């Protein structure tokens, strides 16, 4: 058990490190000189060279990578080229929008998908099942940014109950800020919920066919009890796997959704940083988001241990 | 095996997909109006007999733009999937044929690729390398590579243990020759289903990139861009935001249904509806 944890932790660190290498390399290969872009197009070559020196861009790639990684390890994300403030400050402001948005979306999607998926499995082959799966099939095909626009049409234009975009800030109070996140979170959550409800349905159908469910029914347990006490808990492994995988989609989705709703989150920051060739901010943000995905997948692996006592990983290679 | 015409998913899926492909092809030779033709006098017209889906803020015919948009959307998705499958399938087959540390290394690389939120990285690549359909194809294609590599490896591993592969091995054929002649043809059903799934995802990704201004560039119409333009006029002309979204959703729905149908028809063991 301990050996498994150590092995997984080493793997986690190696993957995180490789992620920094990939991001750094990609940004080296792609065209665009940050110094030239910050200055006017009429800037003289020696002015650009001076700025490059000031920004440390004239150092070799090895030195720059080393300096960046050494900073990351110490929690120093560097200083933004364009804003001239520490990147950690920029990120800290945006995290207060993106993380609540992501958490709200995961909660909404799980809260919708699991009951609906279980209901479809319990009513397998009947009208309810067909209706739920039909809606889910449609939901899977919905691009979240279009859903966002439709929600704006419905709840901000036709029946103005939520703002069409923007964010008031948490200092204005919990509810006013949350109100700004409801529509974006729904746009992210509903397509995910469609996928998750299909996974839940088939996982529950799988466990409903198992011997222990038959035994539970044979000993006189009601169908509902057998479903919730025996079939559903055992169906959770694939469901949790998909929730973990969806986290990555969700992070990418926020990039577009924050644009749809003009939310000042990390996605918007990535965009601004890319447009201004603020490469240090891009580098930090992409590594941070990839790191979040890697850590979540690690936690999902650990969750298996809690969910299924048969998985001990003692014998695993 | 149930005949194809009894499988509802397959029938609906193939019909929608055919309609969209035909629309894209027809737009090459004919659209009701030239999709880039500006006609300020008739801007923001409601749907009518002249303009079935109305006109946009520049007076361009929305129906014609959606037809032309199908072409750009399908071509970006097609190339992206070809890039992904063209590199991913040989990579996965190679990893599974060679085995050992090569196999582990390829699998760790795909793990690493999955850690990067695909659309976010596609945004980064297209924004830095320059917006446009070409870079969008590559950026989406890159993230199809690990998917195809994984699926191919997984599927070949199962087939490689079967008797007919053993027999081929006994006749002295090399691993690569067995892979090409016996294993890959046997997993073509799995791969075909994966192609439809990735095609659908690529259409969504392309629309997303175009929405944020990084995909197909104006004046050539794209569904994603149309949605972005429509958002500015959402109070004046809400319908503008409806049609391009419907186009994206039906294309994706059609491909997903086609994939489900193919899975049921080609490989009953993989069927999702038991």
């Amino acid at each position: 058990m301990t050996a498994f944890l150590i092995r997984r932790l080493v793997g986690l660190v190696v993957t995180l490190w490789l992620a920094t290498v990939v991001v750094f390399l990609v940004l080296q290969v792609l065209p665009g000189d940050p110094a030239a872009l910050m200055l006017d197009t009429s800037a003289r070559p020696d002015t650009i060279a001076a700025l490059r020196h000031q920004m440390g861009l004239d150092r070799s790639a090895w030195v720059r990578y080393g300096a960046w990684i050494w900073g990351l390890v110490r929690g120093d994300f560097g200083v933004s080229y364009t804003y001239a403030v520490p990147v950690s400050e920029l990120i800290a402001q945006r995290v207060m929008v993106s993380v609540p948005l992501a958490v709200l979306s995961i909660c909404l999607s799980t809260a919708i998908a699991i009951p609906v998926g279980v209901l479809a499995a319990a009513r397998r082959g009947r009208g309810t099942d067909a209706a739920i799966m039909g809606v889910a099939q449609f939901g899977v095909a919905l691009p979240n940014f279009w859903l966002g626009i439709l929600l704006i049409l419905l709840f901000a234009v036709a029946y103005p109950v939520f703002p069409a975009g923007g964010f008031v800030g948490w200092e204005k109070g919990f509810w006013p800020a949350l109100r700004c996140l409801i529509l974006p979170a729904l746009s992210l959550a509903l397509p995910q919920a469609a996928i998750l409800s299909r996974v839940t349905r088939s996982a529950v159908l799988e466990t409903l066919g198992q011997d222990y469910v038959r035994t539970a029914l044979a000993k006189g347990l009601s169908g509902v009890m057998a479903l919730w006490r025996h079939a559903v808990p055992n169906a959770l492994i694939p469901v949790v796997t998909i929730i973990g995988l969806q986290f990555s989609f969700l992070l990418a989705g926020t990039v577009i959704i924050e644009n749809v709703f003009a939310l000042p989150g990390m996605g918007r920051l990535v965009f601004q940083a890319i447009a201004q060739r603020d490469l240090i901010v891009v580098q930090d943000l992409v590594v941070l988001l990839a790191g979040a995905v890697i850590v979540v997948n690690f936690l999902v692996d650990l969750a298996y241990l809690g969910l299924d006592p048969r998985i001990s990983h003692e014998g695993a290679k | 095996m149930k005949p194809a015409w009894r499988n509802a998913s397959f029938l609906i899926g193939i019909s929608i997909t055919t309609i969209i492909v035909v629309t894209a092809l027809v737009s090459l030779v004919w659209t009701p109006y030239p999709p880039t033709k500006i006609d300020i006098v008739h801007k923001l017209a409601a749907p009518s007999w002249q303009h079935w889906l109305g006109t946009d803020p520049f007076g361009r015919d929305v129906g014609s733009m959606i037809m032309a948009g199908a072409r750009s959307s399908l071509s970006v998705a097609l190339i992206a999937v070809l890039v992904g499958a063209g590199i991913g399938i040989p990579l996965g087959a190679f990893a599974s044929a060679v085995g050992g540390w090569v196999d582990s290394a390829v699998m760790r690389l795909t793990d690493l690729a999955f850690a990067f939120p695909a659309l976010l990285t596609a945004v980064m690549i297209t924004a830095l390398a320059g917006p446009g359909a070409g870079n969008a194809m590559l950026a989406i294609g890159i993230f199809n590579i690990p998917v195809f590599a994984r699926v191919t490896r997984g599927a070949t591993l199962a087939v490689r243990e079967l008797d007919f592969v053993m027999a081929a091995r006994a006749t002295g054929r090399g691993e690569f020759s067995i892979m090409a002649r016996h294993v890959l043809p046997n997993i073509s059903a799995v791969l075909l289903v994966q192609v439809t799934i990735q095609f659908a995802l690529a259409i969504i990704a392309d629309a997303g990139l175009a929405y944020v201004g990084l995909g197909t560039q104006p004046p050539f119409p794209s569904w994603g861009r149309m949605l972005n333009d429509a958002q500015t006029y959402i109070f004046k002309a809400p319908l503008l935001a409806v049609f391009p979204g419907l186009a994206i959703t039906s294309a994706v729905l059609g491909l997903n249904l086609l994939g489900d149908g193919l899975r049921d028809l080609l490989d009953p063991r993989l069927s999702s509806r038991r």
Side-chain angles (χ1 to χ4, degrees):
Chain A
M1 182 68 200
T2 328
F4 165 73
L5 275 182
I6 292 173
R7 208 164 36 230
R8 285 304 321 251
L9 270 174
V10 171
L12 177 78
V13 172
V14 171
T15 319
L16 282 173
W17 170 69
L18 282 174
T20 65
V21 175
V22 171
V23 172
F24 189 80
L25 281 179
V26 167
L27 288 179
Q28 292 304 305
V29 172
L30 292 173
D33 178 0
L37 222 104
M38 279 175 71
L39 295 167
D40 204 61
T41 38
S42 60
R44 296 212 317 266
D46 55 328
T47 322
I48 295 178
L51 185 64
R52 283 179 64 86
H53 179 72
Q54 197 195 327
M55 290 162 75
L57 290 173
D58 52 349
R59 294 174 298 172
S60 77
W62 287 107
V63 176
R64 276 180 291 137
Y65 177 74
W68 177 50
I69 286 297
W70 178 230
L72 283 187
V73 171
R74 288 173 305 151
D76 172 9
F77 287 75
V79 176
S80 154
Y81 297 158
T82 42
Y83 296 96
V85 293
V87 180
S88 48
E89 265 179 38
L90 284 179
I91 292 178
Q93 297 165 0
R94 311 302 177 112
V95 160
M96 295 309 293
V97 178
S98 295
V99 169
L101 176 60
V103 171
L104 189 59
S105 312
I106 289 261
C107 293
L108 279 174
S109 132
T110 313
I112 297 168
I114 292 187
V116 165
V118 171
L119 179 67
R123 295 266 181 276
R124 175 191 181 182
R126 293 193 236 168
T128 324
D129 180 25
I132 290 175
M133 284 305 108
V135 173
Q137 181 72 265
F138 188 72
V140 173
L142 267 182
N144 51 27
F145 53 94
W146 185 49
L147 181 59
I149 297 173
L150 289 183
L151 289 175
I152 292 176
L153 266 179
L154 198 59
F155 293 112
V157 177
Y159 305 95
V161 270
F162 292 108
F167 187 68
V168 295
W170 294 103
E171 63 276 2
K172 286 269 195 296
F174 181 72
W175 289 112
L178 192 69
R179 236 167 63 93
C180 299
L181 295 182
I182 298 278
L183 292 188
L186 270 178
S187 340
L188 285 168
L190 291 179
Q192 305 280 41
I195 299 174
L196 199 58
S197 64
R198 289 184 1 155
V199 174
T200 307
R201 173 182 179 272
S202 59
V204 171
L205 282 182
E206 183 90 32
T207 51
L208 276 178
Q210 298 289 326
D211 288 343
Y212 53 77
V213 172
R214 201 172 44 191
T215 309
L217 291 172
K219 77 173 183 186
L221 217 59
S222 71
V224 177
M225 279 292 279
L227 180 70
W228 285 103
R229 285 283 296 279
H230 296 281
V232 174
N234 282 298
L236 282 181
I237 285 205
V239 174
V240 169
T241 310
I242 299 295
I243 294 177
L245 286 176
Q246 288 191 337
F247 186 71
S248 171
F249 277 102
L250 204 75
L251 283 181
T254 57
V255 177
I256 309 263
I257 285 295
E258 284 175 9
N259 273 287
V260 175
F261 289 92
L263 292 176
M266 287 163 77
R268 291 272 283 188
L269 183 61
V270 170
F271 261 94
Q272 289 158 1
I274 290 174
Q276 294 153 343
R277 291 297 186 278
D278 201 342
L279 292 193
I280 184 79
V281 176
V282 179
Q283 240 166 265
D284 286 341
L285 276 172
V286 176
V287 162
L288 208 64
L289 294 176
V293 173
I294 294 169
V295 170
V296 165
N297 285 333
F298 175 74
L299 294 177
V300 166
D301 267 12
L302 292 190
Y304 293 161
L305 297 176
L307 285 175
D308 190 347
R310 282 172 306 182
I311 302 177
S312 69
H313 292 285
E314 288 297 350
K317 281 194 292 193
Chain B
M1 188 172 115
K2 261 195 336 186
W5 47 268
R6 295 274 308 275
N7 186 305
S9 294
F10 178 80
L11 273 185
I12 303 174
I14 194 99
S15 312
I16 299 178
T17 310
T18 310
I19 291 173
I20 289 173
V21 171
V22 168
T23 307
L25 291 176
V26 168
S27 82
L28 282 171
V29 290
W30 178 83
T31 49
Y33 294 84
T36 53
K37 189 182 162 235
I38 290 174
D39 179 8
I40 294 295
V41 179
H42 296 108
K43 69 173 183 182
L44 295 175
S48 64
W49 283 112
Q50 280 77 41
H51 298 280
W52 286 13
L53 304 183
T55 61
D56 80 345
F58 295 100
R60 291 175 294 192
D61 181 57
V62 172
S64 307
M65 288 173 80
I66 285 187
M67 284 179 72
R71 200 198 317 164
S72 76
S73 194
L74 289 184
S75 50
V76 169
L78 179 69
I79 304 287
V81 171
L82 284 181
V83 167
I87 301 176
I89 293 175
L91 190 65
F94 177 76
S96 118
V98 175
W101 69 268
V102 176
D103 187 28
S104 314
V106 170
M107 284 307 107
R108 289 293 81 76
L109 276 179
T110 58
D111 279 344
L112 182 63
F114 285 129
F116 290 94
L119 197 54
L120 168 71
T121 321
V123 161
M124 185 176 85
I125 293 174
T126 44
L128 292 174
N135 283 332
M137 292 167 184
L138 284 182
I140 302 170
I142 289 173
F143 285 94
N144 277 319
I145 297 174
V147 177
F148 279 104
R150 273 288 178 86
V151 169
T152 308
R153 175 184 175 271
T156 52
L157 281 183
V159 174
R160 274 160 50 83
E161 299 305 315
L162 298 180
D163 287 344
F164 67 91
V165 176
M166 293 295 179
R169 208 167 279 144
T171 63
R173 273 184 181 278
E175 283 301 318
F176 291 107
S177 155
I178 292 174
M179 186 59 78
R181 289 283 298 274
H182 298 285
V183 179
L184 285 181
N186 265 287
I187 64 163
S188 53
V190 179
L191 294 179
L192 190 61
V193 170
Q194 197 64 39
V195 163
T196 60
I197 296 172
Q198 296 309 119
F199 209 107
L201 288 174
I203 285 180
I204 293 192
D206 165 64
L209 285 178
Y211 174 81
V212 293
L214 297 172
T216 305
Q217 292 297 297
F220 199 86
S222 64
W223 294 341
R225 188 78 202 186
M226 290 172 76
L227 278 180
N228 192 327
D229 294 343
Q231 219 183 334
T232 323
Y233 292 86
I234 199 155
F235 290 93
K236 262 182 157 174
L239 274 182
L240 280 182
V242 172
F243 297 126
L246 272 181
I248 303 169
T249 308
S250 17
V252 174
L253 186 65
L255 284 161
N256 283 345
L257 286 171
L258 180 61
D260 282 2
L262 281 175
R263 177 161 35 208
D264 293 347
L265 291 173
L266 295 175
D267 196 344
R269 283 168 303 169
L270 293 172
S271 172
S272 55
R273 291 183 228 293
R274 278 161 308 127

